[in-house]
Amino acid sequence: MMPVSRERSLVTGANGQDGTYLVEALLATGDDVYAMCHSADGAERLRSLHPTVTATVGDLADEGAIHALIDSTQPTRVFNLAGNTSVARSWEYPAATADVLGVGPIRIYDALWKLSQRTGIKPRMLQASSAEIFGNAAQVPQTESTPRRPVTPYGAAKGFAHDMAGVYRARGMHVSTAILYNHESPRRPETFVARKITMAVARIALGMQETITLGNIDAFRDWGYAPDYVQAMMLIISREEPGDFIVATGESHSVREFLAEAFECAGVTDWHSRVIIDPGLYRPVDPLQLVGDPALLRSIGWQPQVGFTELVRIMVLADLELLRAPVAG
Ligand code: GDP
């Protein structure tokens, strides 16, 4: 039997929500996994969870480090998930956001291009693009060809990296984008509204907290389950033809609906008085109708396993369990 050559998969942002699910999925398929984390703590955590992963510390803003990492690992596949994840906070650091989320991926495309020129390796790349590139979209739901109108530094930066993926694809590189809509899980930080809600609701249900304070609960989002989105990334990169793919559920729900569903899951009925609206948490600019049409992705075989109600349930139950668990040590 011919030996099957294993993929050498490099994941940037490996310690984040998606990164951890992706590393697990790649290890399960037998890949050699290399991970770039932003902090030493993150790399250490990953190594202790997965001793076979080669984890390093790196920053997309550091051109030399990115080239050195690509040259030393010689990956056959790169999944770029690195960068600041908070859309709201991209207003605090617009230039750094442009550098890391906009130019950072180009440092990878360039390093991969040069690697392939030098060695003949034909690496594939998956760029984590974002629904934020559509911003105030003229079209609902959005498709791969919807015109882009970003309204945040985050969306504009992701849009540039998205365009450059197309530029390198036209040059002959295997670069695809996953245009990711909001996706959540028990691993999501509380800076995102979904996890903020499920943690607070779990605390309220257990009598550990009285109220939750939120911003605009009439914003709508298309919320999916992070492990389903990681499966989409693996499917997209495995395609013979690279391309752009919307990764979304196609369903739009308001923050208000998420909240109601979460309280119901936790068995709290008298919850309206528990919610405080703070106009200070409203965003100056906020895309209100981001919903994606995943028809193209479904046509190549993507089948998400978890819908909206089940997503909320998974997150609330996980947080109840987390809070009930005895503190270690
Ligand atoms: P984003 O879509 O990547 O910005 O994800 P978020 O989970 O941070 O925000 C989703 C939506 O929830 C946005 O429209 C926010 O304006 C809205 N939202 C309402 N209250 C809150 C809150 O307390 N925290 C956050 N993060 N978002 C909130």
Side-chain angles (χ1 to χ4, degrees):
M1 221 168 90
M2 288 278 289
V4 180
S5 66
R6 281 148 67 124
E7 296 281 1
R8 300 165 61 80
S9 292
L10 170 64
V11 180
T12 73
N15 197 42
Q17 170 187 253
D18 297 357
T20 56
Y21 284 121
L22 180 60
V23 165
E24 287 162 18
L26 294 170
L27 288 172
T29 63
D31 288 15
D32 288 330
V33 179
Y34 299 84
M36 187 181 97
C37 301
H38 193 230
S39 70
D41 282 356
E44 194 45 51
R45 179 173 160 264
L46 208 62
R47 278 186 215 112
S48 65
L49 284 172
H50 305 293
T52 58
V53 171
T54 308
T56 52
V57 181
D59 190 323
L60 283 186
D62 185 343
E63 181 135 348
I66 296 301
H67 279 261
L69 179 64
I70 300 285
D71 289 348
S72 63
T73 53
Q74 303 213 340
T76 56
R77 307 199 289 191
V78 178
F79 297 84
N80 179 38
L81 313 180
N84 34 316
T85 51
S86 169
V87 174
R89 293 200 66 194
S90 73
W91 285 106
E92 290 170 39
Y93 313 103
T97 299
D99 189 32
V100 171
L101 294 184
V103 183
I106 288 123
R107 299 186 174 107
I108 304 180
Y109 306 152
D110 176 46
L112 289 178
W113 176 256
K114 287 176 178 152
L115 175 73
S116 74
Q117 296 290 295
R118 223 174 36 249
T119 63
I121 295 173
K122 296 270 174 241
R124 293 183 175 194
M125 172 149 177
L126 187 287
Q127 163 66 7
S129 196
S130 164
E132 284 285 321
I133 65 177
F134 296 120
N136 269 338
Q139 195 183 333
V140 180
Q142 295 86 45
T143 71
E144 289 77 7
S145 52
T146 297
R148 302 204 301 274
R149 293 183 181 168
V151 291
T152 58
Y154 181 102
K158 282 281 187 185
F160 179 59
H162 188 92
D163 282 342
M164 286 298 279
V167 168
Y168 275 85
R169 193 183 309 144
R171 202 177 178 192
M173 215 168 100
H174 196 291
V175 191
S176 294
T177 65
I179 307 170
L180 301 162
Y181 282 64
N182 297 51
H183 48 289
E184 314 292 327
S185 76
R187 298 184 191 176
R188 195 66 143 156
E190 285 180 67
T191 43
F192 290 86
V193 78
R195 185 75 195 287
K196 178 175 173 178
I197 290 173
T198 61
M199 259 316 237
V201 164
R203 286 195 199 101
I204 290 170
L206 297 176
M208 300 161 79
Q209 181 175 322
E210 289 294 313
T211 56
I212 173 171
T213 303
L214 292 165
N216 183 8
I217 60 173
D218 291 314
F220 282 78
R221 286 291 185 273
D222 177 333
W223 276 294
Y225 184 47
D228 282 336
Y229 286 38
V230 160
Q231 288 304 316
M233 293 177 201
M234 292 174 67
L235 176 65
I236 292 168
I237 206 169
S238 71
R239 299 274 301 163
E240 215 36 59
E241 277 296 306
D244 300 316
F245 294 87
I246 296 267
V247 188
T249 68
E251 271 182 39
S252 183
H253 295 274
S254 64
V255 175
R256 187 187 292 275
E257 284 171 73
F258 196 107
L259 192 60
E261 195 64 46
F263 274 116
E264 183 165 327
C265 283
V268 180
T269 45
D270 60 332
W271 57 267
H272 286 92
S273 59
R274 309 294 197 123
V275 180
I276 296 167
I277 301 300
D278 176 1
L281 291 178
Y282 276 55
R283 301 197 182 157
V285 199
D286 197 9
L288 297 179
Q289 271 292 4
L290 287 179
V291 51
D293 177 356
L296 183 63
L297 188 60
R298 283 183 179 276
S299 78
I300 65 165
W302 183 60
Q303 289 179 327
Q305 303 298 307
V306 172
F308 177 73
T309 312
E310 179 64 4
L311 168 67
V312 181
R313 201 182 70 87
I314 288 172
M315 291 179 69
V316 170
L317 294 186
D319 284 338
L320 284 169
E321 195 176 328
L322 185 72
L323 294 170
R324 284 191 186 119
V327 179

PDB file of all heavy atoms in Angstrom, residues 267-279:
ATOM      1  N   GLY A 267     -35.299  27.620  32.964  1.00  0.00           N
ATOM      2  CA  GLY A 267     -36.477  27.460  33.813  1.00  0.00           C
ATOM      3  C   GLY A 267     -36.829  28.715  34.601  1.00  0.00           C
ATOM      4  O   GLY A 267     -37.487  28.643  35.633  1.00  0.00           O
ATOM      5  N   VAL A 268     -36.411  29.896  34.111  1.00  0.00           N
ATOM      6  CA  VAL A 268     -36.745  31.155  34.796  1.00  0.00           C
ATOM      7  C   VAL A 268     -37.901  31.795  34.027  1.00  0.00           C
ATOM      8  O   VAL A 268     -37.742  32.169  32.861  1.00  0.00           O
ATOM      9  CB  VAL A 268     -35.535  32.122  34.818  1.00  0.00           C
ATOM     10  CG1 VAL A 268     -35.901  33.425  35.532  1.00  0.00           C
ATOM     11  CG2 VAL A 268     -34.324  31.465  35.458  1.00  0.00           C
ATOM     12  N   THR A 269     -39.064  31.915  34.665  1.00  0.00           N
ATOM     13  CA  THR A 269     -40.233  32.408  33.939  1.00  0.00           C
ATOM     14  C   THR A 269     -40.444  33.916  34.108  1.00  0.00           C
ATOM     15  O   THR A 269     -40.758  34.618  33.159  1.00  0.00           O
ATOM     16  CB  THR A 269     -41.503  31.654  34.394  1.00  0.00           C
ATOM     17  OG1 THR A 269     -41.473  31.600  35.817  1.00  0.00           O
ATOM     18  CG2 THR A 269     -41.565  30.265  33.798  1.00  0.00           C
ATOM     19  N   ASP A 270     -40.205  34.422  35.308  1.00  0.00           N
ATOM     20  CA  ASP A 270     -40.479  35.848  35.573  1.00  0.00           C
ATOM     21  C   ASP A 270     -39.246  36.694  35.246  1.00  0.00           C
ATOM     22  O   ASP A 270     -38.718  37.403  36.083  1.00  0.00           O
ATOM     23  CB  ASP A 270     -40.821  36.036  37.059  1.00  0.00           C
ATOM     24  CG  ASP A 270     -39.670  35.579  37.948  1.00  0.00           C
ATOM     25  OD1 ASP A 270     -38.908  34.684  37.505  1.00  0.00           O
ATOM     26  OD2 ASP A 270     -39.498  36.119  39.051  1.00  0.00           O
ATOM     27  N   TRP A 271     -38.807  36.633  33.989  1.00  0.00           N
ATOM     28  CA  TRP A 271     -37.488  37.200  33.716  1.00  0.00           C
ATOM     29  C   TRP A 271     -37.470  38.635  33.220  1.00  0.00           C
ATOM     30  O   TRP A 271     -36.441  39.289  33.244  1.00  0.00           O
ATOM     31  CB  TRP A 271     -36.716  36.320  32.734  1.00  0.00           C
ATOM     32  CG  TRP A 271     -37.387  36.080  31.416  1.00  0.00           C
ATOM     33  CD1 TRP A 271     -38.198  35.030  31.109  1.00  0.00           C
ATOM     34  CD2 TRP A 271     -37.305  36.885  30.246  1.00  0.00           C
ATOM     35  NE1 TRP A 271     -38.631  35.124  29.821  1.00  0.00           N
ATOM     36  CE2 TRP A 271     -38.089  36.269  29.262  1.00  0.00           C
ATOM     37  CE3 TRP A 271     -36.652  38.070  29.926  1.00  0.00           C
ATOM     38  CZ2 TRP A 271     -38.243  36.798  27.978  1.00  0.00           C
ATOM     39  CZ3 TRP A 271     -36.791  38.614  28.648  1.00  0.00           C
ATOM     40  CH2 TRP A 271     -37.581  37.968  27.689  1.00  0.00           C
ATOM     41  N   HIS A 272     -38.634  39.163  32.779  1.00  0.00           N
ATOM     42  CA  HIS A 272     -38.597  40.498  32.163  1.00  0.00           C
ATOM     43  C   HIS A 272     -38.015  41.559  33.099  1.00  0.00           C
ATOM     44  O   HIS A 272     -37.281  42.438  32.671  1.00  0.00           O
ATOM     45  CB  HIS A 272     -39.985  40.899  31.673  1.00  0.00           C
ATOM     46  CG  HIS A 272     -40.367  40.148  30.420  1.00  0.00           C
ATOM     47  ND1 HIS A 272     -41.062  38.959  30.453  1.00  0.00           N
ATOM     48  CD2 HIS A 272     -40.095  40.406  29.124  1.00  0.00           C
ATOM     49  CE1 HIS A 272     -41.224  38.522  29.214  1.00  0.00           C
ATOM     50  NE2 HIS A 272     -40.638  39.381  28.384  1.00  0.00           N
ATOM     51  N   SER A 273     -38.348  41.430  34.391  1.00  0.00           N
ATOM     52  CA  SER A 273     -37.847  42.418  35.358  1.00  0.00           C
ATOM     53  C   SER A 273     -36.349  42.242  35.628  1.00  0.00           C
ATOM     54  O   SER A 273     -35.722  43.075  36.277  1.00  0.00           O
ATOM     55  CB  SER A 273     -38.607  42.283  36.669  1.00  0.00           C
ATOM     56  OG  SER A 273     -38.416  40.965  37.151  1.00  0.00           O
ATOM     57  N   ARG A 274     -35.790  41.163  35.119  1.00  0.00           N
ATOM     58  CA  ARG A 274     -34.357  40.903  35.347  1.00  0.00           C
ATOM     59  C   ARG A 274     -33.459  41.579  34.311  1.00  0.00           C
ATOM     60  O   ARG A 274     -32.250  41.521  34.397  1.00  0.00           O
ATOM     61  CB  ARG A 274     -34.064  39.390  35.276  1.00  0.00           C
ATOM     62  CG  ARG A 274     -34.936  38.522  36.132  1.00  0.00           C
ATOM     63  CD  ARG A 274     -34.684  38.791  37.594  1.00  0.00           C
ATOM     64  NE  ARG A 274     -35.194  37.717  38.403  1.00  0.00           N
ATOM     65  CZ  ARG A 274     -34.455  37.014  39.250  1.00  0.00           C
ATOM     66  NH1 ARG A 274     -33.184  37.285  39.396  1.00  0.00           N
ATOM     67  NH2 ARG A 274     -35.011  36.055  39.963  1.00  0.00           N
ATOM     68  N   VAL A 275     -34.094  42.139  33.272  1.00  0.00           N
ATOM     69  CA  VAL A 275     -33.300  42.690  32.160  1.00  0.00           C
ATOM     70  C   VAL A 275     -33.273  44.218  32.225  1.00  0.00           C
ATOM     71  O   VAL A 275     -34.322  44.861  32.247  1.00  0.00           O
ATOM     72  CB  VAL A 275     -33.883  42.235  30.804  1.00  0.00           C
ATOM     73  CG1 VAL A 275     -33.054  42.801  29.652  1.00  0.00           C
ATOM     74  CG2 VAL A 275     -33.933  40.714  30.731  1.00  0.00           C
ATOM     75  N   ILE A 276     -32.081  44.759  32.264  1.00  0.00           N
ATOM     76  CA  ILE A 276     -31.920  46.217  32.277  1.00  0.00           C
ATOM     77  C   ILE A 276     -31.299  46.624  30.936  1.00  0.00           C
ATOM     78  O   ILE A 276     -30.326  46.002  30.489  1.00  0.00           O
ATOM     79  CB  ILE A 276     -30.985  46.640  33.427  1.00  0.00           C
ATOM     80  CG1 ILE A 276     -31.626  46.268  34.761  1.00  0.00           C
ATOM     81  CG2 ILE A 276     -30.659  48.132  33.360  1.00  0.00           C
ATOM     82  CD1 ILE A 276     -30.687  46.357  35.939  1.00  0.00           C
ATOM     83  N   ILE A 277     -31.894  47.620  30.312  1.00  0.00           N
ATOM     84  CA  ILE A 277     -31.322  48.113  29.048  1.00  0.00           C
ATOM     85  C   ILE A 277     -30.515  49.374  29.342  1.00  0.00           C
ATOM     86  O   ILE A 277     -31.025  50.328  29.928  1.00  0.00           O
ATOM     87  CB  ILE A 277     -32.438  48.434  28.023  1.00  0.00           C
ATOM     88  CG1 ILE A 277     -33.282  47.179  27.730  1.00  0.00           C
ATOM     89  CG2 ILE A 277     -31.834  49.009  26.730  1.00  0.00           C
ATOM     90  CD1 ILE A 277     -32.517  46.005  27.146  1.00  0.00           C
ATOM     91  N   ASP A 278     -29.261  49.344  28.935  1.00  0.00           N
ATOM     92  CA  ASP A 278     -28.371  50.498  29.141  1.00  0.00           C
ATOM     93  C   ASP A 278     -28.026  51.095  27.767  1.00  0.00           C
ATOM     94  O   ASP A 278     -27.267  50.491  27.004  1.00  0.00           O
ATOM     95  CB  ASP A 278     -27.096  50.023  29.853  1.00  0.00           C
ATOM     96  CG  ASP A 278     -26.091  51.156  30.007  1.00  0.00           C
ATOM     97  OD1 ASP A 278     -26.387  52.292  29.593  1.00  0.00           O
ATOM     98  OD2 ASP A 278     -24.990  50.877  30.533  1.00  0.00           O
ATOM     99  N   PRO A 279     -28.584  52.273  27.476  1.00  0.00           N
ATOM    100  CA  PRO A 279     -28.296  52.884  26.162  1.00  0.00           C
ATOM    101  C   PRO A 279     -26.803  53.098  25.950  1.00  0.00           C
ATOM    102  O   PRO A 279     -26.336  53.173  24.817  1.00  0.00           O
ATOM    103  CB  PRO A 279     -29.048  54.221  26.213  1.00  0.00           C
ATOM    104  CG  PRO A 279     -30.072  54.042  27.284  1.00  0.00           C
ATOM    105  CD  PRO A 279     -29.504  53.085  28.284  1.00  0.00           C
TER     106      PRO A 279
END
